[in-house]
Amino acid sequence: MHEASWRNEQSINSILVGKSEPHARQPEKNGLSCSLLGQQACQVVVLMRTFRYGTSESQVGDLYLPALGMPAVVCLLHGGFWRMPYGREEMAAIAADLASRGFAVWNIEYRRIGSPGGGWPGTLEDIAAAIDHLAAFATGEAGLDLRRVAVVGHSAGGHLALCAAAPRAEADARFAPRKVVPTAVAGLAAVLDLHATFTLNAGNNAVSALLGGSPSQHPIPYAKASPLALVPLHVRQLILHGTEDDALPVEHSRAYVKAARDAGDSVDYVELPGMGHMEYLDPASEAHDTLCKWLDIVLATQDA
């Protein structure tokens, strides 16, 4: 798709999202109503529009745009062990909260196991294509700052986020965005080691369903799709994991962080005592607060 302004693109739907709070109402900017909290930029009322980045029914995303000039971008990737029927609605509350904090948010859907083209390699290809689609929004009224892009994923979405941030050889270029290069990536209770997750039989043998079999049957996809095998990523990372996660053991994150740091990557690692697997989807949770504080740091305004 050629670069186009946010308002000139055809969207699937458009709604206003946000919390109603008694902050002073400001004049409209770029057609979006904006309220301010103290001296902070646009706070609560955000326009969300759904766009296609491909021809498949699942190749869509929701773009949340605060009434700001040149906001940083957070791409969100939901979990669900890469399977239907789990979808981007899982991240909707997180998306709205992040947008209320002044980030543009691209809540991405992708082809999943159980839908045409889902699984290896289509699911990974979709993430790269969706991130690159941000370039179509970056000019005109959307005015996104593509120097400041973080990719954040939960569970299987964390796996996809890290894979999308990894450097790729030309033969595997379809797995990495080319127009938009992420500057930071966060894995929230992420799948980080496909071999270990296969052995664990996590998600009712979800890794086998994603890649079509075992590591011995398909060694190349396992090597190309496992974050542990892709380090160093050469991008700043945040890994969050709860000590009481019963879906993916915290030991997987510990092992990944050690390997990534040993390979030279900059990794911020936070273990959350007593936390399970799903708290990341709650904007009021400690996990989300930790993520927001990290995003404020890594996506701080850059001088031109």
Side-chain angles (χ1 to χ4, degrees), residues 130-191:
I131 295 171
D132 266 346
H133 194 74
L134 288 169
F137 304 131
T139 60
E141 295 174 47
L144 307 178
D145 186 351
L146 298 187
R147 301 171 303 168
R148 301 183 292 140
V149 177
V151 185
V152 177
H154 171 243
S155 192
H159 159 262
L160 296 172
L162 290 155
C163 284
R168 297 287 186 172
E170 192 61 35
D172 298 323
R174 66 192 187 280
F175 300 133
R178 294 298 183 183
K179 298 177 183 178
V180 179
V181 179
T183 53
V185 61
L188 317 177
V191 178

Side-chain angles (χ1 to χ4, degrees), residues 26 35 50 75 104 110 131 147 179 189 193 223 225 230 260 282 297:
Q26 302 296 317
S35 75
T50 302
C75 301
Y110 51 87
I131 295 171
R147 301 171 303 168
K179 298 177 183 178
D193 180 350
L230 295 172
D282 179 3
I297 294 170

Side-chain angles (χ1 to χ4, degrees), residues 216-300:
S216 62
Q217 292 172 311
H218 302 288
I220 293 176
Y222 274 83
K224 292 184 177 183
S226 182
L228 184 63
L230 295 172
V231 296
L233 305 187
H234 303 297
V235 65
R236 186 164 180 180
Q237 300 165 54
L238 171 68
I239 303 297
L240 296 182
H241 213 122
T243 60
E244 302 303 315
D245 192 324
D246 60 2
L248 294 168
V250 68
E251 288 80 10
H252 287 192
S253 282
R254 293 171 184 165
Y256 172 84
V257 169
K258 182 181 186 304
R261 287 175 173 170
D262 287 348
D265 274 344
S266 174
V267 184
D268 298 305
Y269 178 53
V270 180
E271 281 190 12
L272 300 162
M275 193 162 293
H277 192 67
M278 301 303 293
E279 288 88 339
Y280 308 89
L281 308 185
D282 179 3
S285 69
E286 177 187 356
H288 184 63
D289 182 64
T290 302
L291 171 65
C292 290
K293 289 176 179 176
W294 184 80
L295 289 172
D296 284 340
I297 294 170
V298 299
L299 297 181

Side-chain angles (χ1 to χ4, degrees), residues 2 5 15 36 60 70 75 92 105 111 118 122 124 180 190 206-207 231 246:
H2 297 294
S5 82
I15 63 172
L36 300 184
V60 298
M70 299 297 287
C75 301
V105 181
R111 290 175 292 174
L124 276 72
V180 179
V207 175
V231 296
D246 60 2

Side-chain angles (χ1 to χ4, degrees), residues 7 80 112 291:
R7 291 192 177 277
R112 289 142 287 165
L291 171 65

Side-chain angles (χ1 to χ4, degrees), residues 18-77:
K19 300 174 288 185
S20 297
E21 295 189 11
H23 305 309
R25 183 67 57 191
Q26 302 296 317
E28 287 193 352
K29 179 180 181 181
N30 292 340
L32 302 181
S33 178
C34 176
S35 75
L36 300 184
L37 179 60
Q39 297 301 313
Q40 300 299 313
C42 181
Q43 168 68 10
V44 287
V45 180
V46 176
L47 182 66
M48 186 278 282
R49 297 178 67 178
T50 302
F51 294 95
R52 296 194 181 278
Y53 64 87
T55 58
S56 169
E57 181 179 356
S58 295
Q59 291 172 323
V60 298
D62 300 325
L63 183 63
Y64 295 70
L65 189 68
L68 288 173
M70 299 297 287
V73 185
V74 180
C75 301
L76 293 180
L77 298 169

